[in-house]
């Protein structure tokens, strides 16, 4: 570890919060789990050029690297507690580090979580994060609890991040105001932690939309051993997305696009009346986009009543994403 | 995630053990901490070309990447429970993956720990690991408890890994039998988990030797606000190292070399009689190499009684290593 890399660590002196007995500085951090709670753990690696472009704003990279992990905790109804950050960097670029640390710290503090460990190494830019949260014993939201007849619900808007990515890649052209509205949805997704917490004891299954609505719904349905009927007309599309669709854009592209980090969950039909209360607790609008069916597969009905069969995506065998 | 990378995950279907309520496959793993225990957490990133050479045997890379993290848990007296693995790989090389997974799994199973999460991404070869262990509340071994008069002790042999590295780099030449004996000490260090556990309630401070004996002793002394007197003649050098020293090698080089992953700890002088029992419980010889002194700094006495002043190394502000 060079002196240069010792200096990097100065950017990550964050305050320590809940459950931290001893922060970074010894061989290990010491953490105190709360009796009656289980821990939820998730781990993601983001590589420059794969998960974010070289020109990405460093604060947005810091935010998103943490957000995608907190989104996994949210999808299980867990409250973020402790995070580790493994950073490989080609050089100690002070402006990049200050921006990255700022984006990371701001989201971490807003969620009341602590950075309890990490490592900084010279190498091609990559960010490895492990996040731990807590959930009361037996109350974790799993992918496997959906039952035929349940409502399929989604938070926020779908396709915003996908359309922003297409614009960034030059594949579509957007009015400047619409780009301004959509870009933060791609670069600074908001993990739905409060919603995940509110869904404990109510939702029968939950997953976050990282790979795309249809792919992630496929994961949930396969884990639950059920299928789904979806209504395209019920999809919550934002005004910029609605304008793009009105100009001839294909909605199926957006249902296949990832990075929205909204929560996709199932509710017993009898709980429909609780949706406004859940939306208020989660601080995000909720929409019912279909129902769980006993027969496997996803059947999508267009606004014109046309049925489109959609293959569920493959089951993820290793990752905790 | 390409199909190729989905296949990679097949190499990491390991059995799940203690405290794992739900293994990989959902958004998060679910873990059940034991009441009355705290968690110890550590995180390290290993980059090809920095921490291991490109030609390193994959099983040894898998072993060592895990071992350096388990060594941090051992240094705090914690028993390994749960590990996450973030792997970036330039390509899905089946032979490399099978070897890496084998080295990783063998050590993981021997320590009774579980791989509970991870992520696999395309990119330059790097390995990010976060390891969690458990230790009874209040019994963690910290760096900060050493008091003047305590004995300074070390497990196993010192300098084996450093001499092997010098031989690998062509800086020294060793008889083939000595290289055969030393190479595993560099490539497959054994985390001293059983010893760390035995030291709970006995040792006043502990650290693992990753940066080098003098550097890591410096960390321990600085955290404890004390100094040390060391006897070079008491250093436990292995027969191959003794032969190299007899041929004119400089012992100071070995006290500055890292990678031994032995435990360096302090004991109240009254506990000296317990050393044989601790060595038996830890399955490794123990040596007393000096005493803690009230005055800051490390004073090293050569076998000829000559005093050499050694500057303690800098304090590590960010890492949990």
């Amino acid at each position: 570890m060079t002196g240069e890399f010792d200096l990097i660590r100065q950017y990550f002196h964050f305050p320590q919060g809940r459950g931290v007995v001893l922060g970074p500085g010894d061989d290990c951090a010491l953490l105190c789990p709360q009796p009656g709670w289980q821990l939820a753990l998730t781990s993601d690696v983001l590589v420059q050029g794969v998960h974010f472009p070289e020109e990405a704003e460093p604060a947005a990279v810091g935010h998103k690297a943490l957000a995608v992990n907190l989104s996994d905790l949210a999808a299980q109804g867990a409250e973020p507690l402790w995070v580790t950050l493994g950073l490989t960097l080609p050089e100690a670029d002070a402006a990049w580090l200050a921006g990255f640390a700022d984006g990371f710290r701001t989201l971490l503090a807003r969620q009341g979580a602590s950075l309890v460990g990490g490592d900084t190494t010279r190498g091609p830019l990559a960010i490895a994060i492990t996040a731990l949260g807590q959930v009361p014993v037996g109350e974790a939201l799993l992918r496997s609890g959906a039952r035929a007849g349940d409502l399929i619900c989604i938070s926020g808007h779908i396709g915003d991040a996908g359309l922003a990515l297409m614009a960034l890649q030059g594949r579509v052209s957007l009015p400047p105001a619409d780009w301004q509205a959509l870009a933060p949805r791609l670069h600074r997704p908001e993990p739905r932690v409060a919603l995940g917490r509110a869904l404990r004891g109510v939702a029968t299954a939950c997953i976050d939309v990282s790979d795309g609505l249809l792919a992630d719904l496929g994961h949930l349905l396969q884990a639950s051993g059920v299928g789904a009927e979806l209504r395209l007309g019920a999809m919550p599309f934002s005004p910029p997305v609605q304008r793009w669709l009105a100009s001839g854009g294909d909605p199926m592209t957006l249902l296949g696009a990832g990075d929205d980090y909204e929560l996709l969950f199932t509710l017993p039909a009898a709980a429909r009346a609780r949706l406004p209360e859940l939306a208020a607790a989660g601080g995000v609008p909720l929409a019912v986009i279909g129902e769980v069916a006993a027969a496997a597969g996803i059947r999508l009905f267009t606004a014109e009543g046309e049925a489109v069969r959609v293959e569920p995506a493959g089951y993820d065998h290793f990752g905790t994403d």
Side-chain angles (χ1 to χ4, degrees), chain A:
Chain A
M1 188 62 61
T2 68
E4 180 190 48
F5 275 72
D6 280 341
L7 284 175
I8 289 175
R9 304 180 169 191
Q10 306 297 327
Y11 291 96
F12 297 97
H13 274 283
F14 298 169
Q16 300 293 318
R18 271 193 303 179
V20 182
V21 180
L22 181 74
D26 211 296
D27 291 279
C28 302
L30 276 178
L31 310 170
C32 190
Q34 210 174 310
W37 296 65
Q38 288 175 338
L39 294 175
L41 174 150
T42 184
S43 204
D44 277 293
V45 180
L46 288 86
V47 176
Q48 189 181 54
V50 179
H51 299 95
F52 55 92
E54 201 169 333
E55 62 275 17
E57 191 204 345
V61 176
H63 173 100
K64 188 166 180 176
L66 179 58
V68 303
N69 282 281
L70 299 188
S71 180
D72 281 323
L73 295 183
Q76 245 174 357
E79 301 157 23
L81 286 177
W82 311 309
V83 176
T84 68
L85 170 64
L87 198 55
T88 56
L89 287 168
E91 56 180 352
D93 175 334
W96 193 92
L97 277 162
F100 177 88
D102 187 56
F104 194 96
R105 181 180 47 235
T106 303
L107 177 58
L108 193 75
R110 194 161 74 234
Q111 296 293 347
S114 306
L115 180 65
V116 294
D119 196 10
T120 311
T121 310
R122 186 183 300 274
L125 184 55
I127 304 151
I129 291 178
T130 293
L132 288 135
Q134 65 176 4
V135 59
V137 171
E139 293 191 22
L141 304 172
L142 304 184
R143 299 179 179 182
S144 51
R147 297 293 170 256
D150 284 354
L151 307 176
I152 299 173
C153 308
I154 185 96
S155 64
H157 296 120
I158 276 299
D160 283 2
L163 187 55
L165 183 62
M166 286 194 286
L168 195 65
Q169 293 170 336
R171 293 161 54 200
V172 304
S173 164
L174 294 176
D178 285 353
W179 163 251
Q180 290 293 331
L182 293 181
R185 295 272 296 153
L186 175 64
H187 294 310
R188 291 179 181 264
E190 189 58 37
R192 302 300 186 191
V193 173
L195 176 61
R197 188 177 170 151
L199 291 176
R200 293 197 302 234
V202 188
T204 50
C206 189
I207 192 170
D208 68 323
V209 178
S210 53
D211 295 342
L213 186 136
L214 292 178
D216 289 311
L217 178 59
H219 296 315
L220 185 152
L221 297 174
Q222 186 164 349
S224 297
V226 291
E229 301 198 343
L230 292 185
R231 290 183 300 280
L232 193 54
M235 292 294 160
F237 292 129
S238 65
V241 167
Q242 289 175 28
R243 280 187 283 276
W244 178 73
L245 293 172
S247 74
D250 178 5
M252 292 305 290
T253 309
L254 300 184
L255 300 191
D259 265 355
D260 279 319
Y261 296 100
E262 296 295 347
L263 293 189
L264 177 67
F265 57 97
T266 55
L267 276 189
R272 183 188 288 264
R274 295 189 60 184
L275 279 167
E277 158 210 337
L278 294 171
V284 61
L286 301 176
V288 177
I289 59 171
E291 284 83 36
V292 177
I298 300 174
R299 288 160 296 280
L300 179 71
F301 295 92
T302 65
E304 294 76 33
E306 191 185 343
V308 185
R309 186 173 158 81
V310 183
E311 293 297 329
Y315 183 72
D316 176 341
H317 288 278
F318 176 65
T320 52
D321 50 11

